[in-house]
Amino acid sequence: MALEARDTPESLPGLDVVSTTPETKQSTSGVGLAPELPYARVVLDQPVPHLDHPFDYSVPLSMHDDAVPGARVSVRFGAQKLNGYILERRADVEAGVSPIPLLKVLTPFPVLNPLVATAARAVADRYAGTLSDVLRAAVPPRVASVDKEFRAEAEVSEPEAGSRDASSSFDSSESAWRHYEGGTDFLSQLAAGESPRAVVTVLPQAAGDWTQLVTDALTATLASGRGATVVVPDARDLQFLETRLAEHEPAIDVARLNAEDGPTPRYRNFMSVALGRTNVAIGTRSAAFAPLKAPGLYILWQDADQSLNEPRAPYQHAREVLLLRASLEGAGLLILSTSRSAEAQRLVATKWALELAAPRDVRREFSPRIVVTGDDFEREKDPFLHASRLPRAAWTAAKDALEKGPVLIQVARTGFVPTTSCERCRAAASCKHCHGPLSLSHASAVPTCQWCGRVANAWSCDVCGFTKLRARAIGADRTAEELGRAFPKFPVVSATGAQPKYEVSDKPQLVVATPGAEPRAHGGYQAALLLDGDRSLMREGLRVSEEVVHRWFDAVSLVKPASEGGRVVIAASQTDATQALVRMDAPGFAWRELEQRRDVNLPPACRSAVLEGPARATDEFVESLSLPETVSVLGPVAFENPGTSGDYLHRWLLFFTYADGPNVAKELKNAKIRSSTHRKPVVSVRVDDSRAL
């Protein structure tokens, strides 16, 4: 059933909406309407697919001044009270439609500005989702006390929008951008009010860390009288960036948008940006929707990081959000990373963005020496290499480096012994109740299930009946313990996602970290050991190699250059991934990844959708789709529903071209509307979600 924007809450038959009672109609019949633009088009804060369109409400005279476009309002929808946002004020509605009044204006400020509303609609359409789901990430929950603060300030005086003097400039000759071909021209274009788009693989920090590149790009954008948004993967990068911007002369005023800061600080900073009092926003993935008044540049750091994927529907990636915003708003875009994702390489290959690369001799100048333990030369030197987790080359490098400074050890897993197996037959040890993997928290610990938390006191192998366990993988805690015994004179520091550490001193020490949690060392690490390389590359998944290479390059970027004795040892066999690191050629590796995926028609050479749900409902969902002939449909694959017995789910995969993307997404959305209207079981639709493949 087609739903039109002119529909009102009372004009939708059979959608589980209770009509307004006669008493309610009588109480609103005598309400005077606003003298100008007396009707408001409102998008409701609800995720039901068949209600994903605006509804018309009348604006009472008492709300005329507060009911501005973008305001958060409360409305009656049948027998319910729902929140929503005013998209626009209108002079009239279509004949035969009798809108009911708004109940209340909750936030009399434009928390949803037109640019964000347009971008959110585009994101919802691209991912076959609802506008409400996107706005949930774009607009933080209301904090009434913060609204009162801004209301009181507005009544005293309305401050002018934050801006920078156009005379504020920078010396590009001293900028870290001088190491990149076309870098200073990029800054000049931003300062002149242009909107260039670029992809940059960042040199190791010895050439100037990534925050220097961001700071100069922000300064250039502000000099043109425009604002900018910087999106980073996690709190570690956000804290580092905020500190560097505060140290800049003059300091750059920024609004920090991060859900981990708590609802009040986050909402206060959001309102500062929405009202134009701050025109630089920095934050994690939701900051991609920062409501800048005059956006000039969007910056994304480490776009290959999985943290930038929204874990809730419609599962949008911050990179795609910024791409859409840059295109719709005519703003510039800058993607910075220590490596190169296949998606970023596609932007360069299609000439949508310019590649700003450092010359080969510059890369060598600032890079450490890199050794792969799996090459023929190292194998001849170390006959026990195949049986050793810490090869001789890695141990020697750590021993020598500890005489001068800190050493970073990157391990693939957290914990002590994250997975175990039978000591006799090597079968994976699993929980008797939920079949989850058993782990050990310390050397004398009782095995515990990682899924349900049950303790396996009397475990025995299901295959051979043996009762002793061995480690299948060694985590960061076990590695730290072993290194502490191997190097008793030096302190051992652990840094994981559960126990983050952002910085360490330049004193000799061993820093054991999981991928993505490596702290920065003052002056850089003297050496880095990248352990468990082969085990990491053996994981299943489309993007395993890309993710591993990204983490390796991220760690290498923290090490001193070879001219200062910096060394990196990779405990892995010879592969394309290790060779890319030896050559410090992240763009080349990304190019090969993209070409290989083109050969087999896999993302990002094409687009994808993953459909999952109850077997019968999912099959019917797929059968109802009217797709172009060029779409490849694979499935179904049946798998048991976790937590149930005998209940199976089906999984379908769709692969389609970028040209077919809008039509396929629209058809998927229509199918969701049909299922929702007829109350069928929910089928999960994940468009372009790299984690689902």
Side-chain angles (χ1 to χ4, degrees):
M1 180 177 62
L3 300 176
E4 303 294 338
R6 64 175 180 272
D7 291 329
T8 66
E10 297 178 60
S11 66
L12 299 176
L15 297 184
D16 227 13
V17 177
V18 181
S19 300
T20 307
T21 63
E23 292 79 12
T24 303
K25 290 183 178 180
Q26 184 177 1
S27 65
T28 60
S29 60
V31 175
L33 298 183
E36 297 177 1
L37 304 177
Y39 301 103
R41 181 154 288 180
V42 177
V43 58
L44 301 178
D45 186 10
Q46 54 73 39
V48 182
H50 64 263
L51 301 180
D52 182 32
H53 68 100
F55 293 90
D56 290 330
Y57 286 84
S58 61
V59 180
L61 178 61
S62 60
M63 303 181 192
H64 174 58
D65 295 331
D66 291 342
V68 298
R72 196 191 318 250
V73 296
S74 176
V75 299
R76 184 175 297 282
F77 192 83
Q80 306 176 67
K81 287 184 180 180
L82 299 177
N83 293 340
Y85 303 94
I86 297 178
L87 295 180
E88 61 175 326
R89 291 279 294 271
R90 300 171 60 86
D92 52 25
V93 293
E94 296 186 14
V97 176
S98 300
I100 60 177
L102 300 173
L103 289 180
K104 185 179 181 180
V105 177
L106 300 174
T107 304
F109 300 109
V111 294
L112 178 62
N113 77 20
L115 295 178
V116 174
T118 301
R121 181 73 268 173
V123 171
D125 291 343
R126 189 186 196 281
Y127 287 90
T130 64
L131 180 59
S132 172
D133 283 338
V134 179
L135 293 181
R136 178 182 55 194
V139 183
R142 173 177 179 255
V143 178
S145 60
V146 175
D147 279 347
K148 292 179 181 179
E149 291 176 16
F150 282 91
R151 187 69 179 263
E153 293 176 9
E155 291 175 354
V156 176
S157 62
E158 184 63 32
E160 295 182 0
S163 62
R164 296 270 299 186
D165 185 353
S167 63
S168 299
S169 60
F170 49 87
D171 184 1
S172 60
S173 63
E174 297 299 325
S175 168
W177 284 97
R178 70 185 185 280
H179 298 306
Y180 302 86
E181 295 177 346
T184 55
D185 291 340
F186 179 80
L187 296 183
S188 299
Q189 292 176 34
L190 289 174
E194 299 178 24
S195 301
R197 299 176 296 213
V199 174
V200 181
T201 299
V202 177
L203 291 168
Q205 67 173 5
D209 61 59
W210 63 276
T211 62
Q212 292 180 283
L213 301 177
V214 170
T215 301
D216 288 340
L218 291 178
T219 304
T221 306
L222 292 170
S224 70
R226 300 174 296 168
T229 296
V230 186
V231 180
V232 299
D234 52 40
R236 178 193 62 163
D237 292 328
L238 181 58
Q239 184 63 44
F240 183 54
L241 175 61
E242 185 178 29
T243 301
R244 288 304 180 91
L245 292 178
E247 295 172 350
H248 183 261
E249 291 293 339
I252 298 177
D253 184 26
V254 302
R256 173 181 167 127
L257 304 177
N258 182 23
E260 295 181 4
D261 292 343
T264 300
R266 179 191 180 193
Y267 189 62
R268 183 179 289 114
N269 290 336
F270 173 86
M271 289 296 295
S272 179
V273 177
L275 298 180
R277 302 181 184 185
T278 308
N279 53 6
V280 175
I282 63 173
T284 47
R285 58 177 177 264
S286 61
F289 293 100
L292 295 173
K293 292 288 187 180
L297 178 65
Y298 292 108
I299 302 176
L300 181 62
W301 168 242
Q302 300 287 38
D303 72 299
D305 197 299
Q306 291 296 316
S307 299
L308 294 169
N309 267 102
E310 176 62 43
R312 302 176 297 180
Y315 313 105
Q316 71 272 10
H317 193 288
R319 176 185 54 247
E320 306 306 322
V321 174
L322 296 184
L323 287 173
L324 286 171
R325 294 201 68 178
S327 298
L328 293 170
E329 300 163 13
L333 179 68
L334 175 60
I335 297 178
L336 297 166
S337 181
T338 52
S339 61
R340 176 74 61 81
S341 68
E343 282 79 5
Q345 183 62 30
R346 181 180 173 274
L347 297 179
V348 173
T350 58
K351 302 188 184 303
W352 192 91
L354 181 67
E355 180 179 20
L356 304 182
R360 191 171 186 178
D361 58 336
V362 175
R363 293 204 310 267
R364 288 179 176 176
E365 178 185 354
F366 295 108
S367 300
R369 181 192 172 202
I370 299 177
V371 176
V372 180
T373 62
D375 63 20
D376 295 338
F377 178 73
E378 291 296 331
R379 287 184 178 183
E380 290 180 3
K381 292 171 58 178
D382 188 357
F384 299 103
L385 177 66
H386 66 283
S388 175
R389 182 165 181 259
L390 188 66
R392 179 179 178 180
W395 187 88
T396 303
K399 178 176 177 296
D400 295 341
L402 283 171
E403 298 178 0
K404 301 178 181 179
V407 175
L408 173 67
I409 298 95
Q410 186 191 79
V411 296
R413 302 287 295 272
T414 188
F416 189 79
V417 177
T419 57
T420 57
S421 63
C422 174
E423 187 178 276
R424 176 187 290 170
C425 70
R426 303 296 192 262
S430 59
C431 175
K432 303 294 184 181
H433 297 274
C434 68
H435 306 290
L438 297 181
S439 64
L440 299 175
S441 59
H442 54 83
S444 58
V446 177
T448 304
C449 177
Q450 292 189 31
W451 290 1
C452 67
R454 287 185 171 91
V455 177
N457 286 304
W459 178 86
S460 61
C461 179
D462 294 334
V463 178
C464 67
F466 203 59
T467 57
K468 292 186 178 181
L469 295 169
R470 71 184 300 271
R472 294 186 66 194
I474 296 178
D477 295 340
R478 173 71 176 270
T479 303
E481 181 182 284
E482 293 177 349
L483 290 172
R485 292 196 296 264
F487 301 96
K489 296 182 180 180
F490 301 97
V492 180
V493 178
S494 293
T496 63
Q499 298 176 332
K501 193 173 186 63
Y502 297 157
E503 285 189 308
V504 296
S505 68
D506 57 357
K507 296 180 180 179
Q509 58 188 310
L510 293 162
V511 181
V512 182
T514 51
E518 302 91 347
R520 305 178 71 87
H522 293 291
Y525 288 98
Q526 194 65 38
L529 313 181
L530 310 182
L531 306 182
D532 308 320
D534 289 336
R535 187 181 299 275
S536 299
L537 291 170
M538 287 172 60
R539 291 187 292 116
E540 295 182 357
L542 174 64
R543 299 178 182 271
V544 168
S545 296
E546 183 180 323
E547 291 175 8
V548 172
V549 168
H550 163 64
R551 294 306 184 187
W552 284 350
F553 271 95
D554 198 18
V556 169
S557 69
L558 303 176
V559 182
K560 293 180 180 180
S563 59
E564 299 180 22
R567 181 184 297 185
V568 174
V569 179
I570 314 172
S573 304
Q574 286 274 38
T575 61
D576 289 342
T578 56
Q579 285 304 300
L581 199 64
V582 170
R583 296 191 301 268
M584 289 298 289
D585 185 20
F589 181 80
W591 180 83
R592 285 191 295 274
E593 281 284 303
L594 182 60
E595 289 301 309
Q596 290 173 2
R597 295 183 198 177
R598 280 177 177 163
D599 292 341
V600 292
N601 193 37
L602 288 174
C606 67
R607 295 186 59 189
S608 66
V610 179
L611 314 179
E612 289 182 355
R616 181 176 179 181
T618 308
D619 294 347
E620 292 177 352
F621 186 97
V622 174
E623 290 175 1
S624 71
L625 297 175
S626 178
L627 300 172
E629 295 181 357
T630 54
V631 178
S632 298
V633 181
L634 305 179
V637 175
F639 58 97
E640 189 172 355
N641 189 2
T644 64
S645 178
D647 186 10
Y648 281 86
L649 304 178
H650 274 184
R651 172 186 172 105
W652 292 79
L653 299 180
L654 308 182
F655 296 101
F656 46 95
T657 65
Y658 283 84
D660 288 334
N663 291 332
V664 173
K666 184 177 181 180
E667 182 60 24
L668 290 171
K669 176 65 178 297
N670 290 338
K672 291 173 66 175
I673 291 175
R674 292 192 294 268
S675 296
S676 173
T677 303
H678 295 93
R679 302 181 182 179
K680 293 184 178 180
V682 175
V683 174
S684 171
V685 177
R686 304 168 77 105
V687 177
D688 294 334
D689 188 353
S690 61
R691 297 164 301 178
L693 295 176

